[in-house]
Amino acid sequence: MSKHAVVESADQVGERTEKAAAAVARLTRWHDDFPTPGVRFADLTPVFADAEGFRAVIDCFAAVATDVDLVAGVDARGFLLGAGVAATLGTGVLAIRKGGKLPPPVVSREYELEYGSAALEIPADGVELAGKRILLLDDVLATGGTLAAAAGLFTEVGAEVVAAAVVLELEFLKGREHQGDYPVTSIVKL
């Protein structure tokens, strides 16, 4: 159990989510046809750069699963989220890296994006992951490939993803359907 685990009521979690959703709606910048034609990119940089907005997102995510051993954030915006939530919960944080960014040995998983394919990696040694309870964080849930691949990495090494959370969920892409048995929390659903 994390050092600062606190059980919150459903109302308290709902209030945190509403506050975070308001900050995300107010501060997100949208870019059409980026990085490729037909993709609408959500730039969350202004949310994270705003002290109150960032704190609202971190507090919301920290309330998702307080009884975890490790917070894991997906490359690259998930690193920011993971560090903030881990500091709040009193746990460690693990960066889930894009393929080729970690020295071997690594555990790797390929997946499909809405505009291509990629791979994710975690260390195969140096960090004891077997039996750990993981809170998995990412910025956007689109087609679901990234989050599912990240969760698959932890399953492969004997860890358990107990919950996942994202800032934005693009519901029309049905990414939630590709997730495992863990609950997925979205601050904003589009």
Side-chain angles (χ1 to χ4, degrees):
M1 183 178 234
S2 64
K3 295 177 188 173
H4 303 289
V6 175
V7 177
E8 294 193 3
S9 71
D11 287 341
Q12 289 171 313
V13 173
E15 288 172 17
R16 289 182 186 274
T17 302
E18 286 177 23
K19 186 174 181 180
V24 171
R26 185 179 85 252
L27 296 166
T28 301
R29 292 185 327 149
W30 291 95
H31 297 276
D32 291 329
D33 299 320
F34 182 84
T36 60
V39 173
R40 187 164 194 229
F41 184 81
D43 181 6
L44 297 171
T45 304
V47 178
F48 300 156
D50 182 84
E52 289 181 22
F54 185 61
R55 180 83 258 162
V57 170
I58 295 305
D59 288 347
C60 178
F61 282 178
V64 166
T66 57
D67 187 16
V68 296
D69 302 308
L70 189 65
V71 177
V74 178
D75 201 336
R77 293 184 279 187
F79 298 169
L80 300 169
L81 299 166
V85 173
T88 298
L89 294 177
T91 69
V93 62
L94 182 70
I96 304 166
R97 300 299 311 268
K98 292 178 182 170
K101 300 292 183 183
L102 288 172
V106 297
V107 178
S108 183
R109 187 163 293 237
E110 291 187 20
Y111 64 100
E112 295 298 316
L113 296 162
E114 60 270 28
Y115 48 85
S117 63
L120 293 175
E121 297 176 342
I122 57 174
D125 64 12
V127 179
E128 182 57 46
L129 295 171
K132 299 285 185 186
R133 294 173 48 82
I134 309 293
L135 171 58
L136 180 58
L137 304 177
D138 202 1
D139 58 341
V140 176
L141 175 59
T143 61
T146 304
L147 205 60
L153 289 169
F154 290 108
T155 300
E156 187 172 334
V157 298
E160 176 190 5
V161 174
V162 296
V166 297
V167 178
L168 296 171
E169 179 178 352
L170 306 176
E171 290 183 294
F172 66 94
L173 292 173
K174 302 187 185 306
R176 188 175 287 262
E177 294 175 3
H178 303 287
Q179 305 314 304
D181 293 335
Y182 48 88
V184 178
T185 298
S186 304
I187 294 175
V188 173
K189 294 180 181 181
L190 302 172

